[in-house]
Amino acid sequence: MALTPRHTPPHDRPRTSRPAPPSAARANEAIRAFVDARAGQDWSSVESAAYEVLLIEWAAATRGVTGDIIEAA
């Protein structure tokens, strides 16, 4: 009796859903709206971090990168 490996059909594999990456234009608009809403004000550390996330999303969108972002520069 020969043993053959069992292959799970692709539709039976667990799927991990990731949100679709934002388009570069949409990310750019989010950055503009964020900056415009805070024009002339000092930013808190939380706002600076939020801005940094928006920049990372924009950079990923312009490069077509869909991987996880580990750390901001």
Side-chain angles (χ1 to χ4, degrees):
M1 177 166 117
L3 298 177
T4 57
R6 181 177 178 202
H7 295 285
T8 305
H11 63 276
D12 288 347
R13 292 184 185 156
R15 296 181 186 191
T16 57
S17 64
R18 289 187 183 178
S23 71
R26 195 170 34 193
N28 191 40
E29 284 303 313
I31 291 169
R32 287 181 189 270
F34 187 88
V35 172
D36 288 347
R38 289 154 186 81
Q41 300 174 12
D42 290 334
W43 291 8
S44 69
S45 59
V46 173
E47 289 171 320
S48 294
Y51 175 71
E52 194 167 329
V53 168
L54 290 172
L55 289 178
I56 291 168
E57 289 174 354
W58 173 83
T62 60
R63 293 185 182 104
V65 175
T66 60
D68 294 334
I69 298 167
I70 304 300
E71 182 178 340

